[in-house]
Amino acid sequence: MRYALLLSYDGTNYGGWQIQKNAVTVQEKLTSALEETLGYKVNITASGRTDSGVHASAQVCHFDADTTIPPEKFADAFNFRLPDDISVLKSVRAPEGFDAVKSAKRKTYCYRVYISPQRLPLKDRYSVRIKFPIDVEKLCECAKMFEGEHDFFAYCASGSQVKTTVRTIYSVEVKTQITGDVLEIGIYVTGNGFLYNMVRTLAGTMLYYSAGRISREDIARSIEGRDRSAVGKTMPANGLTLESVDYGIELF
């Protein structure tokens, strides 16, 4: 039987999702918890491989197992064995033919930053402090430049091996909140898939544009000319969170 999990984790202490030799990863912790539960090793597949230090509010995974444990009880079984920074929110029997990777229709990431006279330690774990002024109107203006189908070669980390760097971005939305003298900004990006470091570089480019450090022509050159020198800074991992994965059905 195939099972689906809705997972949340703080990525600070992990080398990303995928199991690797030189770092502790989320997949490693989850696989170990499942092996302890079932008594044998089972592979767990996630909708995508979040990078080192990146968080997830709603990662989706699947695994196959032959067990009498009710699907809805797996969440408790996992959480009993998982560290405090990883939690299985829900567990269900997966629909026929479901695959956490192949069945995904769209994903939404959020990159969070804040502007404050001083550094705020309670925000630094999940967002990045920006020290230069931001024009929110220009940030929203820049967001629209990335919507649609484009070649995001310039926004992909050098050396990445993918068949194509063309991706479709369905929406880029900027949300703000002001509390006293603190401005919080969330850049929500929804697409059919993302390249390595793509959202972090896209966020950096938007912030640079809003601060007047790069121009509309630079962004056009980065997309049409695949020019890496025309993009903004690749932002730190801690500001990025996988917010949701849409499968076109009510999975959980």
Side-chain angles (χ1 to χ4, degrees):
M1 183 184 296
R2 177 157 291 188
Y3 300 85
L5 306 175
L6 184 64
L7 181 68
S8 178
Y9 51 85
D10 178 331
T12 304
N13 298 322
Y14 300 100
W17 162 262
Q18 190 176 21
I19 289 176
Q20 50 191 281
K21 293 181 179 180
N22 301 317
V24 178
T25 67
V26 179
Q27 186 183 32
E28 176 187 338
K29 290 293 185 181
L30 210 62
T31 301
S32 176
L34 183 56
E35 185 175 1
E36 289 181 34
T37 301
L38 297 175
Y40 56 90
K41 192 170 184 177
V42 172
N43 184 54
I44 300 176
T45 301
S47 67
R49 304 171 182 175
T50 50
D51 302 332
S52 177
V54 174
H55 317 292
S57 293
Q59 173 70 281
V60 178
C61 314
H62 80 252
F63 66 91
D64 297 324
D66 182 12
T67 177
T68 58
I69 299 175
E72 67 276 7
K73 295 297 184 182
F74 266 111
D76 290 336
F78 270 105
N79 291 334
F80 180 74
R81 297 169 172 85
L82 286 171
D84 292 341
D85 51 8
I86 305 175
S87 179
V88 176
L89 306 179
K90 293 182 180 180
S91 55
V92 298
R93 179 175 180 172
E96 187 71 26
F98 175 80
D99 184 291
V101 178
K102 297 177 182 178
S103 301
K105 305 296 183 185
R106 57 180 66 195
K107 300 176 185 177
T108 299
Y109 280 89
C110 178
Y111 198 89
R112 292 179 171 88
V113 299
Y114 71 93
I115 298 176
S116 171
Q118 301 295 335
R119 186 175 65 82
L120 302 175
L122 297 185
K123 294 190 183 300
D124 283 343
R125 199 170 182 93
Y126 307 108
S127 60
V128 174
R129 182 184 174 214
I130 300 299
K131 298 179 181 180
F132 50 84
I134 295 296
D135 184 327
V136 175
E137 286 189 11
K138 290 192 69 177
L139 198 64
C140 295
E141 174 188 315
C142 186
K144 299 303 176 186
M145 300 180 196
F146 294 108
E147 294 180 346
E149 183 180 87
H150 303 291
D151 185 344
F152 287 97
F153 172 83
Y155 295 81
C156 178
S158 180
S160 297
Q161 296 180 344
V162 291
K163 292 181 179 179
T164 176
T165 51
V166 174
R167 296 291 186 273
T168 299
I169 299 299
Y170 300 113
S171 67
V172 182
E173 186 178 3
V174 177
K175 297 182 180 181
T176 62
Q177 178 177 312
I178 300 175
T179 305
D181 56 1
V182 179
L183 170 62
E184 297 178 74
I185 300 172
I187 300 172
Y188 291 80
V189 186
T190 300
N192 65 347
F194 298 95
L195 303 165
Y196 181 49
N197 281 353
M198 176 177 161
V199 178
R200 290 163 58 189
T201 306
L202 188 150
T205 301
M206 289 177 61
L207 291 165
Y208 270 36
Y209 177 84
S210 70
R213 295 189 175 191
I214 58 177
S215 66
R216 177 181 289 269
E217 290 71 28
D218 290 325
I219 294 175
R221 194 169 75 252
S222 73
I223 294 174
E224 297 165 13
R226 308 173 92 218
D227 186 350
R228 293 185 189 275
S229 68
V231 304
K233 174 186 176 181
T234 298
M235 299 296 290
N238 62 295
L240 185 62
T241 300
L242 173 61
E243 294 289 320
S244 65
V245 186
D246 180 9
Y247 291 93
I249 58 173
E250 189 172 340
L251 184 59
F252 297 100

